[in-house]
Amino acid sequence: MIYDTDRLSIFVDGNNMFYAQQKNGWFFDPRRVLDYFRSQYTNTTLVNAFWYTGLKDPQDQRGFRDALISLGYTVRTKILKEYYDDNSGRYSQKANLDIEIVIDMFNTVDQYNRVVLFSGDGDFERAIELLRSKNTHITVVSTEGMIARELRNATDRYIDLNEIRDKIEKLDY
């Protein structure tokens, strides 16, 4: 499919990015992320922006989720599940939304020809390969030490969060 303008979709693995931002010691502003990637390509229309996050309970992060929705993100959530980690001997909580991300990528594939994926998770390698076979340009945003080699190799372009910090950092703490 050929478009007169590039059509962009953004997918943010919120839990993965939370840990990446903690590692870096700074947080990005969801509004500035949208503005930055809209401005990166001439003749680009942002058609979708998705944000995926795990919740402790249905009211968890309510204000943040409402703010994301008001910015134009489609927010997908899942309640955290508790599991026992044999290695550490402790209980942990996790909400894996990889399947939801991939489903949304393929459910909306006819709407875009450019994707920005905020994640470092190697589980996305095969989905990225399939999207690239459909002439979709894929950019992955993550941070050194938190991006799987398979994912970095599968993408068209890799951006380290720290390279664009000045463009996307949350300024009003």
Side-chain angles (χ1 to χ4, degrees):
M1 195 172 296
I2 297 173
Y3 299 105
D4 291 337
T5 62
D6 277 342
R7 298 172 57 79
L8 172 67
S9 284
I10 297 174
F11 299 87
V12 180
D13 181 345
N15 295 342
N16 186 283
M17 286 296 100
F18 177 76
Y19 292 114
Q21 291 172 95
Q22 271 191 324
K23 177 183 187 284
N24 288 334
W26 61 274
F27 289 84
F28 60 73
D29 180 332
R31 177 192 316 269
R32 293 188 77 199
V33 164
L34 295 179
D35 292 344
Y36 175 74
F37 283 101
R38 273 191 198 114
S39 72
Q40 281 305 288
Y41 312 103
T42 55
N43 297 325
T44 297
T45 301
L46 178 66
V47 292
N48 290 308
F50 293 89
W51 192 288
Y52 304 82
T53 191
L55 305 175
K56 294 175 187 155
D57 60 64
Q59 295 307 311
D60 187 27
Q61 302 177 42
R62 173 59 95 197
F64 180 63
R65 290 185 286 141
D66 288 348
L68 288 171
I69 290 166
S70 73
L71 291 173
Y73 286 91
T74 298
V75 179
R76 305 272 194 236
T77 62
K78 188 184 276 187
I79 299 297
L80 294 167
K81 293 186 178 162
E82 193 169 272
Y83 67 95
Y84 182 76
D85 183 347
D86 290 331
N87 294 329
S88 69
R90 290 185 282 194
Y91 283 93
S92 297
Q93 292 183 321
K94 186 171 183 169
N96 190 334
L97 286 114
D98 295 355
I99 292 295
E100 287 78 1
I101 294 171
V102 171
I103 287 170
D104 285 337
M105 283 178 159
F106 283 92
N107 195 39
T108 60
V109 71
D110 292 336
Q111 298 174 21
Y112 60 78
N113 60 351
R114 226 175 239 290
V115 164
V116 175
L117 171 64
F118 279 76
S119 184
D121 193 331
D123 291 343
F124 293 112
E125 176 188 21
R126 186 69 181 126
I128 296 305
E129 288 172 349
L130 289 171
L131 288 174
R132 286 184 68 203
S133 75
K134 296 178 176 294
N135 295 320
T136 301
H137 185 276
I138 311 289
T139 298
V140 171
V141 182
S142 187
T143 199
E144 290 302 324
M146 294 193 72
I147 179 156
R149 183 173 52 249
E150 307 83 32
L151 182 60
R152 191 168 181 167
N153 289 340
T155 190
D156 291 301
R157 180 178 180 210
Y158 167 70
I159 299 174
D160 186 287
L161 280 167
N162 290 306
E163 291 174 15
I164 57 173
R165 178 179 181 170
D166 63 325
K167 307 283 194 292
I168 66 169
E169 184 174 11
K170 185 170 177 49
L171 301 174
D172 52 346
Y173 285 99

